[in-house]
């Protein structure tokens, strides 16, 4: 109750900014952000793909990990299976979690056969697929934050990628850490998430990336 009161008492401009941040860094956009980051930081890993092919690969990642899951939620809403596309209750999140799980598994399955992109993508896609499993289970007990899962996975992936390539990308780690903090703060401001919801989301996202790294690499 105290947390809800705190959220309501935030200035309007702050709530607007927090909502915009929540949209920009929605969980469904994290995979394409990670893919774009890899193309910028490790362009040599995509040397075997033509510019047109790389653009098509970006589009396919976006469609499979963001557009189709989001469109599925939209259809659920239009068919009256859920009351809101914002998935405000735990019950409304059950089917979307399953749908996202299927698309993330498909993305990982496809990535196993790609030899013209970074190997680290295999464990990233496997990690986000893993994350949907405990998230679905924990959703039965509390409303674990999807945003926190996404940024927790992204932050851990960047760190593990540095280990894999034996590079120190201090600026990148600092930026993604800052983004993680901003996104989690935004969720406290514009949602009814508790500390447990957000911190458990961070742990699930991070831990599943570590497990996927051990399994896939």
């Amino acid at each position: 109750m105290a947390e809800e009161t705190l959220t309501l008492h935030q200035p309007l401009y702050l709530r607007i900014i927090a909502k915009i941040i929540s949209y920009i860094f929605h969980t469904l956009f994290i995979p394409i952000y990670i893919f774009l980051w890899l193309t910028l930081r490790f362009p040599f890993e995509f040397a075997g793909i033509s510019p047109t092919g790389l653009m098509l690969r970006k589009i396919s990642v976006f469609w499979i990990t963001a557009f189709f899951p989001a469109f599925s939620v939209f259809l659920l809403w239009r068919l009256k299976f859920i009351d809101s596309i914002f998935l405000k209750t735990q019950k409304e999140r059950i089917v979307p979690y399953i749908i996202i799980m299927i698309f993330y598994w498909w993305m990982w399955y496809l990535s196993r056969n790609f030899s013209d992109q970074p190997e680290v993508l295999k464990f990233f896609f496997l990690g986000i697929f893993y994350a949907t499993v405990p998230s679905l289970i924990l959703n039965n007990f509390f409303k674990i934050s999807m945003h926190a899962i996404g940024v927790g996975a992204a932050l851990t992936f960047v760190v593990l990628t540095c280990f894999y390539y034996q590079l120190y990308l201090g600026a990148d780690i600092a930026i993604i850490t800052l983004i993680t903090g901003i996104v989690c703060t935004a969720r406290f401001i514009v949602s009814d998430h508790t500390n447990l919801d957000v911190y458990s989301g961070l742990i699930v996202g991070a831990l599943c990336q570590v497990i996927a790294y051990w399994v896939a690499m």
Side-chain angles (χ1 to χ4, degrees):
M1 190 66 181
E3 290 173 353
E4 293 181 2
T5 303
L6 180 62
T7 298
L8 293 174
H9 285 174
Q10 297 297 333
L12 177 61
Y13 77 90
L14 196 58
R15 283 185 277 132
I16 293 175
I17 293 174
K19 193 172 288 290
I20 293 173
I21 291 171
S22 296
Y23 288 145
I24 294 175
F25 294 101
H26 192 281
T27 307
L28 294 181
F29 296 146
I30 297 300
I32 187 60
Y33 289 159
I34 288 296
F35 191 90
L36 293 175
W37 175 72
L38 287 172
T39 61
L40 292 174
R41 270 302 184 188
F42 306 97
F44 57 88
E45 291 281 25
F46 299 90
I49 310 179
S50 66
T52 302
L54 183 57
M55 178 58 65
L56 291 175
R57 188 70 57 83
K58 293 174 183 177
I59 294 173
S60 67
V61 171
F62 174 78
W63 275 66
I64 295 175
T65 62
F67 177 80
F68 284 128
F71 186 66
S72 299
V73 172
F74 174 77
L75 289 179
L76 289 173
W77 172 59
R78 294 302 298 168
L79 294 172
K80 307 299 183 181
F81 287 111
I82 58 176
D83 296 327
S84 171
I85 59 174
F86 297 107
L87 308 177
K88 294 182 178 181
T89 66
Q90 292 165 244
K91 184 179 180 180
E92 289 179 323
R93 295 179 174 219
I94 295 175
V95 176
Y97 266 127
I98 296 173
I99 291 173
I100 292 172
M101 183 186 302
I102 294 170
F103 280 112
Y104 282 5
W105 175 85
W106 181 242
M107 192 69 249
W108 167 73
Y109 182 80
L110 291 177
S111 71
R112 297 188 312 163
N113 302 316
F114 292 145
S115 58
D116 53 3
Q117 66 182 27
E119 287 289 316
V120 291
L121 274 174
K122 295 180 181 179
F123 87 77
F124 173 71
F125 289 132
L126 182 60
I128 60 176
F129 163 65
Y130 281 168
T132 60
V133 178
S135 299
L136 177 60
I137 296 173
L138 293 174
N139 181 68
N140 292 298
F141 304 98
F142 56 90
K143 197 171 71 174
I144 185 170
S145 172
M146 293 181 174
H147 285 78
I149 296 170
V151 292
L155 172 58
T156 306
F157 172 76
V158 171
V159 173
L160 291 175
T161 299
C162 290
F163 277 112
Y164 179 81
Y165 286 103
Q166 295 296 297
L167 293 174
Y168 175 67
L169 302 176
D172 299 62
I173 294 175
I175 291 172
I176 187 61
T177 301
L178 180 61
I179 290 174
T180 299
I182 291 174
V183 171
C184 290
T185 302
R187 298 314 295 155
F188 281 127
I189 294 175
V190 294
S191 72
D192 59 350
H193 281 305
T194 64
N195 289 340
L196 176 63
D197 298 339
V198 174
Y199 296 145
S200 61
L202 287 172
I203 292 172
V204 167
L207 187 59
C208 287
Q209 285 295 309
V210 173
I211 294 173
Y213 183 82
W214 286 337
V215 171
M217 305 309 292

